[in-house]
Amino acid sequence: MPSRRRWAVLAAGVAAQTAASAVVYGVPFLVPSLRDERGLSLAAVGIVVAAPTLGLLMALIAWGAVVDRVGERLPMAVGLGACGVVTGALALLAPPSLAATVGLLVLAGVGAASVNAASGRLIMGWFDVDERGLAMGIRQTAQPLGVAAAGLVLPTLAAREGPLPALGGPALACLVCAVVVVLVAADPPRVSRAPGEAPPASPYRTAVLPRVHAASALLVLPQFAVSAFSLEYLVREQGWSPGAAGVFVASAQIAGAGGRIASGWWSDRVGSRLRPMRQLAVASAAVLLVFAAGDLTLGLIAVAGIAAGSVITVADNGLAFTATAEIAGHGWSGRALGVQNTTQNIVATAAPPALGALIGVSSYAVGFAVAALAPLAAIAVTPVASEPGPERVAAARAAVGQD
């Protein structure tokens, strides 16, 4: 019987990922105040939004290699603590230079990257294969919960204290959660290789895992199209107050967290990660086109598209992470999850400035219609036919904990 401790470890991992996500993905909630305070264009503020994800992009594979070698708890605590220190410095100093602001946000993302690789690997070690979809779905709620917390707190703090001092709250949360990780998030039990036994072979000998990475990266574009510009759209195009828009987006993100749990449970029940992932790609394309149609015709439809998109476009994320870890195996899961995060964050880094520039010269309808091409491509890329069958799932269960 699996140890009951796994749920405490999962809770610590979710808390850590939530705090890191509030820093990395909370910057869009500062967009209106940043533009008002510094007179930035939509394209320029998109660079600020992308800066923390650029930091993740630079560090994810390296953190994954560290985690594969030394375990999960120490790298996660050190990286999260560093993220809190750097973000706190940004909040206290509030540098007037755009370059300094971007640079500090990049460093914050470098620290936060440790949590992305380590917390996913913790789940691989503590949960059996028939619970992993649900457990990873719960873990993946951390990102929308972090965004929701940022949406509830940052617009109000930014209006009162200024956009960069508002980041002091997420910085403190990172520091507190780093302590929680040290106290609670024990490394999972491991079974060492027998003397003379060869290390596990690379899972990248076939195209299956690269296709999972590619499909997941394509599905990041609709997620960031919604999360990066929904508050700005509601404030600038629909005339909402920043506080009201923040509450709406935060509520939608909380619903998105529930969607991740549901999709993980769904994948456990049907014995597949990739079939539900492909079906969610169809739904993501549809919801972006609904938003585009609403922007052209009726604002209420566009708002409904934001609400639905906040749930649908994030629901696939845990499925891709679970599939990646299971295909890679325990000995490669840290690095594979690092590659998975990297491919996602390549898109996450490029999407806000690219979509911001496209929307700036055209319209939200055009920008979101173009973004819908990505999930349509993901439908074809997702390697459903190559997914491990029931017999390989049983083998994966037996292999858990082996290096």
Side-chain angles (χ1 to χ4, degrees):
M1 177 180 292
S3 169
R4 293 180 181 178
R5 188 176 185 178
R6 69 195 189 281
W7 297 108
V9 173
L10 176 58
V14 169
Q17 191 75 62
T18 299
S21 295
V23 172
V24 175
Y25 304 116
V27 179
F29 294 101
L30 304 176
V31 167
S33 56
L34 274 172
R35 295 191 71 190
D36 290 342
E37 181 182 273
R38 304 197 177 189
L40 300 176
S41 68
L42 196 59
V45 84
I47 296 174
V48 178
V49 170
T53 55
L54 175 61
L56 263 77
L57 176 63
M58 294 166 57
L60 282 165
I61 295 177
W63 277 118
V66 170
V67 168
D68 278 339
R69 180 172 293 273
V70 307
E72 294 81 10
R73 177 169 59 179
L74 181 60
M76 187 158 58
V78 170
L80 188 60
C83 178
V85 169
V86 172
T87 307
L90 180 61
L92 291 173
L93 298 175
S97 164
L98 180 62
T101 298
V102 169
L104 287 172
L105 286 171
V106 169
L107 290 177
V110 169
S114 66
V115 186
N116 289 56
S119 61
R121 200 173 187 275
L122 278 173
I123 290 171
M124 286 297 296
W126 280 103
F127 287 85
D128 284 343
V129 67
D130 56 355
E131 287 185 325
R132 274 189 218 138
L134 174 61
M136 192 69 83
I138 293 172
R139 181 259 192 182
Q140 293 302 107
T141 64
Q143 193 265 349
L145 288 177
V147 174
L152 290 172
V153 172
L154 290 183
T156 302
L157 284 179
R160 188 171 69 237
E161 306 291 341
L164 297 182
L167 289 170
L172 179 61
C174 287
L175 295 174
V176 171
C177 288
V179 175
V180 172
V181 166
V182 171
L183 296 176
V184 178
D187 292 342
R190 298 191 180 201
V191 178
S192 299
R193 293 194 304 271
E197 183 181 352
S202 169
Y204 292 97
R205 293 171 300 165
T206 69
V208 175
L209 199 49
R211 286 182 64 186
V212 173
H213 296 329
S216 181
L218 287 166
L219 290 173
V220 167
L221 186 59
Q223 175 184 339
F224 274 79
V226 173
S227 65
F229 296 104
S230 57
L231 187 133
E232 172 73 4
Y233 179 81
L234 293 172
V235 172
R236 303 289 184 187
E237 303 296 325
Q238 298 296 325
W240 292 30
S241 71
V247 170
F248 178 87
V249 174
S251 300
Q253 289 292 323
I254 292 171
R260 292 189 178 201
I261 295 173
S263 64
W265 177 87
W266 175 22
S267 76
D268 286 337
R269 300 286 75 76
V270 301
S272 171
R273 318 299 182 194
L274 300 183
R275 289 201 309 275
M277 182 173 158
R278 185 168 63 181
Q279 291 163 0
L280 287 167
V282 176
S284 291
V287 79
L288 291 184
L289 294 175
V290 167
F291 173 90
D295 183 56
L296 291 173
T297 57
L298 182 63
L300 183 61
I301 296 176
V303 172
I306 290 173
S310 297
V311 177
I312 292 170
T313 63
V314 302
D316 64 274
N317 197 267
L319 303 178
F321 273 81
T322 308
T324 292
E326 290 179 339
I327 293 168
H330 195 73
W332 273 82
S333 60
R335 282 162 287 182
L337 289 171
V339 174
Q340 167 73 10
N341 267 294
T342 299
T343 55
Q344 286 191 321
N345 281 284
I346 289 173
V347 179
T349 302
L355 281 175
L358 177 60
I359 292 168
V361 300
S362 56
S363 66
Y364 276 94
V366 171
F368 275 61
V370 170
L373 297 175
L376 290 174
I379 296 169
V381 173
T382 304
V384 173
S386 302
E387 185 172 21
E391 68 285 350
R392 288 183 60 189
V393 170
R397 181 199 297 271
V400 170
Q402 294 183 355
D403 287 331

